[in-house]
Amino acid sequence: MAHSLIEVNNISVSIDSKPVLDSISLAIQKGETHVLMGPNGAGKSTLGNTLMGNPVYTMDRGSIFFDGQDISHEGTDKRARLGMFLSFQNPLEVPGITLEAFIRTALQQRTGEHIKLFQFQKELKAAMQLLNMEESYANRDLNVGFSGGERKKSEILQLLMLKPKFAILDETDSGLDVDAVRTVSKGIEEYRKQQDGALLIITHSTKILESLHVDRTHILIKGKLVKTGDGSLVKEINEHGFEQIFSEGGSV
């Protein structure tokens, strides 16, 4: 039987010895789109950061396998080279390195191959046009002076250029207007077309999901996965909210 692309086995996570996630298990197959929803403070971003190996979070129990390899104790850089990607809820400014140079360096480290400049710049230009980004942003320091919407587009631009096997999108639609959400969704759709990778979309909204096919939906409340279903569970959340699901007794 083929293994899952990402397999999370009964992990519990803490920050400074304070429990945050309790006994989380899930599996995502290649090409699938999974959604992780829950109220603020449920632990959604903690799970995303744990999967990516952020050292701030301590995995007290369980294991994480990626593409058949145990990465439970691997660092963020190793996970990125293997093909994992995390878009940040609040992308940081990085003075001193341009957006173009950052992506080119990351791509070179990801593939271990020399990047041909002309071809890279051609692909970068096409991706920026898809996202309605001005070309001048490529030569600006990473996220420095970018609006909230442009920072989120910058994250999706990195997704399109790096072509990871597995992407975690953490609140990518947060703070975006309708037009920006539509543009970001278009970028995510393009990623799915050019790369048969898997997605874990972390959100407490559903705007970004309207044009995407969702295979599985997971509801996280107070650090526990209380329910998992197909894409129709998103509609259930929209109609009834998270409290009703929590009151159901945490059935999965």
Side-chain angles (χ1 to χ4, degrees), residues 157-169:
L157 180 65
Q158 294 168 46
L159 173 71
L160 291 175
M161 294 299 295
L162 295 174
K163 301 178 178 65
K165 295 178 183 178
F166 174 58
I168 306 161
L169 306 182

Side-chain angles (χ1 to χ4, degrees), residues 120-228:
F120 169 80
Q121 290 180 331
K122 181 181 178 181
E123 291 181 14
L124 182 67
K125 181 179 179 179
M128 294 185 78
Q129 288 176 343
L130 179 76
L131 296 172
N132 295 324
M133 290 186 73
E134 294 182 17
E135 290 182 32
S136 61
Y137 278 86
N139 298 314
R140 292 175 58 176
D141 285 0
L142 180 62
N143 294 327
V144 176
F146 287 24
S147 68
E150 294 299 339
R151 290 188 184 205
K152 297 301 179 73
K153 288 182 182 180
S154 169
E155 295 280 288
I156 299 302
L157 180 65
Q158 294 168 46
L159 173 71
L160 291 175
M161 294 299 295
L162 295 174
K163 301 178 178 65
K165 295 178 183 178
F166 174 58
I168 306 161
L169 306 182
D170 187 5
E171 302 283 5
T172 304
D173 54 345
S174 176
L176 300 184
D177 61 28
V178 174
D179 290 335
V181 169
R182 189 176 295 115
T183 299
V184 167
S185 296
K186 188 177 180 181
I188 296 171
E189 286 184 89
E190 183 65 23
Y191 162 75
R192 292 301 307 273
K193 289 178 186 176
Q194 61 179 242
Q195 179 76 12
D196 189 23
L199 283 168
L200 177 62
I201 300 176
I202 299 172
T203 184
H204 61 261
S205 174
T206 58
K207 292 185 295 182
I208 200 171
L209 306 177
E210 291 176 358
S211 60
L212 298 174
H213 171 74
V214 175
D215 294 288
R216 301 292 286 168
T217 305
H218 310 278
I219 308 302
L220 188 68
I221 296 179
K222 295 182 179 179
K224 294 185 177 183
L225 278 179
V226 299
K227 191 165 186 175
T228 291

Side-chain angles (χ1 to χ4, degrees), residues 109-128:
Q109 292 180 342
R110 158 92 169 85
T111 63
E113 300 175 357
H114 174 71
I115 304 301
K116 295 181 179 178
L117 184 59
F118 176 77
Q119 183 63 31
F120 169 80
Q121 290 180 331
K122 181 181 178 181
E123 291 181 14
L124 182 67
K125 181 179 179 179
M128 294 185 78

